[in-house]
Amino acid sequence: MVLFLIKRLVGLVLTLLFAALVIFLVLEILPGDPAAMMMGVSATPESVAALRAELGLDRPAAARFLEWLGGFFTGQLGLSYTYRVPVAGLIAERLAVTVPLSLLALGLAVAFGVTLGTLAAAHAHRRADLIIMGMTQLGLAIPNFWFGILLVLVFAIGLGWLPAGGFPGWAADPMLASRALLLPAIALALPQAASLARITRSTMLETLSEDYIRTARAKGLSRSQTIRRHALRNALIPVLTILGLQFSFLLAGTIVVENVFALPGLGRLLIQAIGGHDLILIKSLVLFYVATAILVNGAVDLAYGLADPRLRVGRA
Amino acid sequence: MLSLRDLSVSFRGRPVLRNLSLDLAPGETLGLVGESGSGKSMTALALMGLLPPGFVASGSIRLDGNELLGLADADLCRLRGRAMAMIFQEPMTALNPVLSVGAQIAEGLVLHGLMAPRAAREEAIRLMERVGLPDPARRARSYPHELSGGQRQRAMIAMAIACRPALLIADEPTSALDVSLQVEILALLREIRDETGMAMIFISHDLSVIHAMADRALVLYGGLAMETGPTRHVIGRPSHPYTQGLIAAIPRGSAHTERLRPIPGQVPDLSRLPPGCPFAGRCDLGDARCAETLPPLRTGLTALHCHHAELAPA
Amino acid sequence: MNPAWRHPSFGVGAVLMALVVGAALLSLVWTPHDPTVMRIMARLRPPSAEHWLGTDQFGRDIASMVLVGARNALLVGLVAVGIGLVFGVALGMLAALYRGRLLDEAVMRGLDFVFAFPAVLTAILILTWFGPGLVNAVIAIGIFNIPVFARQARGATLQVLAQDYIRAARLAGLSRMAVMLRHILPNITGLMIVQGSTQFAFAILAEASLSYLGIGTQPPNPSWGRMLNDAQTYLGTAPHLAIVPGIAIAITVLAFNLLGDGLRDLLDPRMKER
């Protein structure tokens, strides 16, 4: 078990390092002169030279790369070119929006996805199943940003129940702040819930045809008791592996949805940084996203081993 | 205590089991014999009310005077595991891989309101000891994959007898095990039956196992009861041509001197059964009448459905 | 009638796809108005007899833009899936052929790595480097498709390679290349088409997202995602702008997802869900 863990961790660290290297190459080496790229065509040679000095571009690339990586541990990621504030502080501040948003969306997606998928499997090939499966096809086809716009049309502009966008901040009014995250989380959760429902349905159907389900029924458990106590856990083990990949999509989704609702999160920061050619900010943000995706996938892999007793012992 | 009258099972209008009638007294064991696809397992599942989707049962199943067919699932749930229990063929797949063995055995006791969870856990350990599982207190926390095939089947038996059912249905409980384990498990089942006085329906394709377990035997073929009677008569002095063929096909000790006599032909496709006797096409005595009309029940030493067979005098 | 049409997913998917392809083809020869002509006097008009779906903030005809947008969406899907198919299938088959060797290991690790990046993020990274635009967006989406096809192609190729007749063909003296082209490629085509249909839908969604963010298709090229971006600004005054492009995206994505599901069932009856 320990050996397995160490192997996994080493693999994870290597992947992270490689990801950082690729991002560094793409954003700082391949453009030739990042300073010129950041300042655009109207820049004077003097101002470009000044920025080059600020970025330390005269120093060797390897040193800059290591310094950048070290910055993730010391918090010294440099000054944002457009905002003129430390990148680390900027990221930390925006996380207060993106993290609660992602968790809320994930929670909604799992709750609705697993419930609907289980319902569909329990009523396989009957009307409830067809309706749920039709809904999931729609959920997969509707772009989340358009769904967000529709939600705004109905619940913000039409009914006036919830804000159309913006974020008041947690400090001012936590209640208001959570209300501001509700519509974005729903928009973000839609495609995730749809695909989770489809996966849950198919693993649940597979599980329900297992012999031990008949054993449970022979013991006197009702259909719904059997599903809850015997089928659900077995059916959700494969769903768990998908969840890591799902989280990647969810993370990418926050970039889009934050822009729909003008939420001051990481995603909006990224798009603004791209608009301002702020390479300093972009490279740290992108690595932050990628590292999160890789780490979550790694964590899910480990969780998979813990959820299934067969694997738990097999690896001991 | 159990009585079936004209129990039939069909799948999409095709008969899988036809007009089965039988009675069972407490403490008695009935052996259901037949090749695969003869309708043995369907009979068991019909009794439990657990037929797969698409299968429909008709006729009458009475357990202690109560009609089971047509009962709502909620009512059947109160009987399953409590009044009647079942052991399945595949101990490998019939236990839930993510729940501990002890929890699976205790589950029924709590479900049927017989015990509180804690008492049920202790009872599960006692039951595991009773069925001969070594170190039951530790085994109770094991998961099925940590047990051997024979141990899993013992756990299955513990699970089935937990609520002291009046009727135990064992569907090929030893077919997946090797011979020495078979003998042990059969002995255990006999012991428990004699101890508790429960009635048992024992399903097997193996006549020697039936011989060892059952007071009475019922031979099924193509969804129809061919012959039924006391086991020693059905196996010792069979009257029905099919039963005779089945017994002639058993390999004996002196394989060198005596040639096997397999029944010619193949088991008929259940979806294309003749309206009459299902064995008609393979039977030496078969004629046009056999294929056309269902033979009536005739009773001698044993009871049988056949137009031609000579009855052994009772 | 061919039984394929009676499969519900395939049937509905095919009808919807015909609708989208029809719109794209129609837009080549006819649109109600010129979708690029701006009329400031007629801006943000609600639907009328003249402008069936109204006009946008520049007075452009929405109906015409949606029709031309279909062309854009199909092109995006076609090229992005094409890139993924060509490179992905080649890599996947090569990896399978040299299974367990360094090449296989390198290809699969590399693909795992690309896969670790969230798709839209990969696209954003590439677009930051190359600059925004339709062509770059399509390339970015295509690159994400490569590992998807490569994994499928590798798995499918390994399955075919295990068949006896492949060994027989090799014994009969056929070269590896000949076995690949003559025996394996035809065998995995079905699976690739199924995956292609799903990835087609994904590509359209991804392009719409990027264009909505302003880093995909650039004006004056009409794109449904871009139209939604514009529409959001006028959500309070002209909500009709936000409806039709979204429906168009949803229908197109639905069409290809359903087609993919239907084809999967039709090609492999065993995989049909119970």
Side-chain angles (χ1 to χ4, degrees), chain B residues 230-265:
Chain B
T231 307
R232 61 196 162 91
H233 294 323
V234 170
I235 293 179
R237 295 177 61 194
S239 300
H240 197 286
Y242 173 68
T243 320
Q244 288 168 348
L246 207 58
I247 285 160
I250 297 176
R252 284 170 218 279
S254 51
H256 293 288
T257 52
E258 200 176 347
R259 288 187 57 191
L260 284 183
R261 281 203 15 226
I263 306 176

Side-chain angles (χ1 to χ4, degrees), chain B residues 86-103:
Chain B
M86 186 161 173
I87 302 170
F88 296 95
Q89 177 172 0
E90 284 294 335
M92 297 297 172
T93 53
L95 292 171
N96 191 333
V98 301
L99 295 178
S100 72
V101 176

Side-chain angles (χ1 to χ4, degrees), chain C residues 26-60:
Chain C
L26 179 67
S27 78
L28 288 173
V29 291
W30 177 84
T31 50
H33 293 266
D34 184 334
T36 56
V37 166
M38 304 182 188
R39 269 164 301 224
I40 298 303
M41 300 305 293
R43 62 198 296 266
L44 296 177
R45 290 273 167 83
S48 65
E50 167 147 36
H51 298 285
W52 301 339
L53 301 174
T55 61
D56 72 354
Q57 73 272 28
F58 299 117
R60 290 176 296 186

Side-chain angles (χ1 to χ4, degrees), chain B residues 67-122:
Chain B
E67 178 59 47
L68 299 190
L69 274 188
L71 222 51
D73 191 59
D75 297 317
L76 274 172
C77 279
R78 273 193 283 279
L79 295 173
R80 281 189 213 119
R82 179 80 183 87
M84 51 184 179
M86 186 161 173
I87 302 170
F88 296 95
Q89 177 172 0
E90 284 294 335
M92 297 297 172
T93 53
L95 292 171
N96 191 333
V98 301
L99 295 178
S100 72
V101 176
Q104 294 188 59
I105 296 172
E107 188 176 18
L109 290 165
V110 179
L111 182 78
H112 292 291
L114 298 176
M115 282 178 193
R118 176 168 309 196
R121 269 198 299 278
E122 282 159 18

Side-chain angles (χ1 to χ4, degrees), chain C residues 127-164:
Chain C
L127 290 172
T128 325
W129 180 23
F130 286 116
L134 175 62
V135 177
N136 294 343
V138 171
I139 292 174
I141 300 164
I143 288 177
F144 177 80
N145 274 338
I146 293 174
V148 176
F149 284 105
R151 284 180 170 193
Q152 281 255 333
R154 180 176 178 272
T157 305
L158 284 178
Q159 262 182 13
V160 182
L161 277 175
Q163 306 284 325
D164 285 336

Side-chain angles (χ1 to χ4, degrees), chain B residues 18-68:
Chain B
R18 282 190 285 179
N19 300 55
L20 182 68
S21 298
L22 60 85
D23 291 280
L24 199 61
E28 190 184 22
T29 300
L30 173 75
L32 275 186
V33 205
E35 296 163 80
S36 53
S38 60
K40 296 170 302 190
S41 292
M42 283 305 146
T43 310
L45 292 176
L47 282 176
M48 295 293 288
L50 290 175
L51 285 171
F55 287 82
V56 183
S58 62
S60 159
I61 304 172
R62 283 179 170 274
L63 184 68
D64 289 329
N66 302 314
E67 178 59 47
L68 299 190

